[in-house]
């Protein structure tokens, strides 16, 4: 039976402000990218998120970000590599404390927002993130964009690199994503999404916007949960996997 | 040979702002209370402080505080126990990541500033701090004021409780400290300080302001390093210990 | 025609996180207590809130708070009066910049959350808030709890003091509010709320929980907008005022 | 008598952490760029800085920055123009409250750190800063780098644009500054600095690193005060001005 991971962001509330339907989403996914306090996530939210993931057998990943609460980590910050490495290490450690208190542990890292995009091409920052992971625990995996410098550097130093794909985004012929500013960039038809998921899992390909079949190797599919519609799509993705005889399974092994 | 621990606050810089002569102080102490980012200490300062302590064979303690950078953790915050517990757990985990990356680990906790004073009598907050320590790692020790609820609750749940004394503060007949607003509250005469240290270590007593001899059981003596004068006094304390045939030794065993 | 003010909190979103239905609430109220960035409200939210209020002819008040984003200003902080005065002055100035840019200006102050409650009895903090207002602009009014030290000190130095009442809270015989932990503390029956509003406006009294009629002098009624139900109640309050021949009118005069 | 302004950063302490010798520097300068809380400057520091400037007849400028306390505003943040405009407006208003409470007012703006450099070429951010100034008070001046987009856009919308020069930096033949990574980039010889100042003021030129004389039009000279050596150089600059028969005078007119 072919298996694949489903990952989503979790724990992006902060203090009085809530965001996302974590309780619904945890039923769908196998890996939870939990915010660590720098772009979202106060300590009590970290605790609750780790307990939710641990209680559901979902793997816990550190969703690390720039220190930018006001910007939700969505603004590039030209942080020096050493600073960034330390910011990332701080976040992993903080989250792992709650993961362990909940009987689990952090098993991977995924960068959030502007950092996710920066480490595709920014060598200094990509290496900084990898350095943080390696100095914390070299058995952690790194989840990110296929072909990114982040995954390349992670693999180069012996970390497990895990590329992800998107169930509801239109791919282009070069294996990239059609820009969100283009019509049709985001898929909304459940049948179309289900077909893309099936193809990703079984054939490791997608159909690009020009109709060509393009190889996309992914060990995880990213879904969202910050709107009711997003959770419905996430369920569609999960059903597409199980309905085609596949299984949803984390790419790391969280403690039982 | 009688031994006692010397503890001091370390890593209380933040970003562009530096505070304290950590390089001088590390030569004097056996336990470093390292700020964890809530009242002081950016991630790079945490890293440097942990490397400094680990490289000097000094034990690393989590100097946890209220989330109050602007107030340096010196203002009481009426945080709910659950919130406080999670704030403390977050700080311990974050620091421990750097401690481990430096080849050491956090072996104890000491509350900072207003939290230090609050947990002397505030039951909810004292229990919250203890809960955080226990859920993170029940082998961690708790360093605080003799007779505080913090130490009582820590001991009650099986944590190691470590009372501290002050080398340069005048004690009163009930074993408390003479208020800083009173004349003579802070000792400045090296000979007087050295005598108080010797007495603390060898006889477990101090001479109170009314001349009576008062028992003070302490496994650690707190010294300061945020002024040049403070470092000089810290050295005086250390020399008083070694000069009287005693030894300076951490109350926990950091990794070699 | 008797008139009274309706005040509500506005602009309590922060960055990615939204809170409250400001667009609906602005149609109901005559005075907007706009968050100033210390417990809620990023700068762009301040701008939008001021533009919304100015565009609707609603008076703008500085909803000042302790510096506590993580706690939404709901935790007492034992700030020294001088620090608190400066924190409050900072917030008023910041908000007034946006109010003026929107063609209006800040005409009053109302403390938020834990600060609202602290200045009822905490003399140092009450005076600190008053000092901030006076040093910024002595023509600003101060809105708060009847009988509070805040209003007393404000009046004592010549500031306009404006007491407020609650439409949906059960009063006690001494003119206070029945604790939220008691059954019946929060009124939910629209008819009952409407009757309390009518009585507050026309007779300046309420019926206490023991059935006695108690005088309550208020120039403003506080309503809420952070839930859909709250906005419905706010509309009920407004209709009770206009339906009984009264008018809703700000207690200050914002620029036309 | 030729006159020129001397500007320096002031009020860059934060809470427990102090930075710079403001008391010494205020005796030297005519315009104080006061930090507004986003990269440095807690509210009480703003108050003290404004009182210091007002008491010395020194003009008060808003030293605005990215929201980055941990990075001291030295890291570029890719903020959207609307966000940046609102961040800047917030800071101006906050500082102006203290300036007015001290009997003065903000009369100009100068960007700090990474923002200072970004608005040399980043059109969106340069316009955002100008928009903030204009919407707050179009009589404010804008101080910045000669030839920057900031000054061009400020002038284009009718704001007063004030270019500054550096007394202790080596210029290049194109009127730019020799990079700090090059030898000789920072001048330390008092006689050399004094000569550059005299030339800037009297002839509006400097001698570049290749020996050519280059025109540099500046209405203000930037000096520093964050080290004892910096204050000494600032005094050298002032003496060079007065010693050659010139005067030090703010480019704006602060209230008497």
């Amino acid at each position: 039976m072919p298996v694949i991971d489903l990952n989503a962001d979790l724990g992006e509330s902060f203090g009085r402000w809530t965001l996302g339907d974590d309780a619904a989403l945890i039923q769908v996914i196998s890996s939870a990218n939990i915010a660590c306090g720098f772009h979202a996530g106060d300590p009590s939210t970290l605790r609750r998120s780790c307990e939710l993931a641990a209680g559901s057998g979902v793997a816990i990943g550190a969703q690390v970000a720039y220190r930018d609460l006001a910007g939700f980590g969505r603004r590039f910050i030209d942080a020096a590599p050493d600073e960034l490495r330390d910011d990332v290490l701080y976040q992993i450690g903080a989250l792992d404390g709650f993961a362990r208190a909940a009987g689990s542990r952090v098993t991977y890292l995924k960068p959030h927002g502007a950092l996710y995009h920066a480490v595709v091409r920014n060598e200094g920052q990509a290496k900084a993130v990898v350095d943080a992971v390696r100095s914390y625990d070299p058995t952690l995996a790194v989840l990110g964009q296929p072909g990114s410098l982040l995954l390349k550097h992670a693999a180069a130093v012996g970390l497990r690199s895990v590329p992800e794909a998107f169930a509801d985004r239109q791919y282009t012929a070069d294996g990239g994503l059609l820009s969100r500013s283009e019509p049709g960039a985001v898929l909304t038809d459940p049948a179309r999404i289900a077909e893309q998921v099936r193809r990703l899992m079984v054939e490791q390909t997608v159909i690009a916007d020009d109709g060509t079949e393009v190889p996309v190797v992914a060990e995880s599919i990213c879904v969202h949960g910050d709107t009711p519609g997003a959770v419905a799509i996430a369920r569609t993705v999960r059903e597409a996997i199980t309905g085609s005889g596949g299984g949803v399974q984390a790419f790391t092994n969280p403690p039982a």
Side-chain angles (χ1 to χ4, degrees), chain A:
Chain A
M1 183 178 79
V3 295
I4 199 160
D5 174 70
L6 285 183
N7 82 80
D9 296 344
L10 214 78
E12 293 192 312
S13 296
F14 188 80
R16 174 70 178 82
W17 299 284
T18 54
L19 186 68
D21 187 351
D22 289 0
L25 201 60
I26 203 74
Q27 306 297 332
V28 178
I29 61 177
S30 43
S31 293
N33 320 313
I34 300 183
C36 300
F38 272 41
H39 79 284
D42 61 282
S44 293
T45 296
L46 267 71
R47 168 182 289 273
R48 280 190 297 269
S49 302
C50 285
E51 290 175 348
L52 188 62
S56 305
V58 167
I60 294 174
Q63 188 197 355
V64 301
Y66 295 124
R67 186 195 279 260
D68 183 13
L69 211 55
F72 199 64
R74 289 180 170 169
R75 310 183 295 191
F76 172 70
I77 297 181
D78 192 17
D82 283 1
E83 287 176 327
L84 179 60
R85 175 201 60 203
D86 296 341
D87 278 6
V88 169
L89 182 48
Y90 186 94
Q91 294 176 71
I92 301 173
L95 182 65
D96 203 23
F98 290 103
R100 289 173 187 272
S104 185
R105 64 184 183 87
V106 170
T107 55
Y108 71 96
L109 169 145
K110 180 181 177 181
H112 163 82
L115 182 58
Y116 181 91
H117 297 292
V119 294
V120 171
R121 291 194 191 80
N122 187 313
E123 181 133 16
Q125 295 204 346
K127 281 188 170 171
V129 173
V130 169
D131 280 356
V133 173
R134 192 168 49 159
S135 68
Y136 186 77
D137 179 354
T139 71
L140 298 190
V142 174
L143 175 61
Q145 184 169 310
S148 61
L149 287 183
L150 176 71
L151 294 194
K152 283 180 186 165
H153 285 302
V157 301
L159 299 181
R160 181 167 172 210
S161 290
V162 180
E164 67 172 1
F166 295 87
D168 61 351
R169 290 293 299 278
Q170 175 64 57
Y171 280 80
T172 53
D174 62 354
L177 298 174
L178 187 63
S179 168
R180 280 179 181 276
S181 59
E182 299 294 319
V186 176
L187 310 182
T188 54
D189 174 19
R192 176 84 178 76
I193 293 168
E195 169 56 16
Q196 180 151 309
V197 168
R198 190 200 59 76
R199 192 176 284 274
L200 276 166
M201 186 179 52
V202 178
E203 305 176 32
Q204 301 266 359
T205 64
V206 294
I207 301 299
D209 59 341
D210 67 354
T212 58
E213 189 172 2
V214 181
V216 171
V217 176
E219 296 180 59
S220 183
I221 293 177
C222 179
V223 294
H224 301 283
D226 48 357
T227 63
V231 174
I233 289 176
R235 287 199 186 103
T236 297
V237 172
R238 185 178 181 104
E239 284 157 16
I241 295 170
T242 55
S244 65
V248 174
Q249 189 177 298
F251 58 85
T252 59
N253 292 311

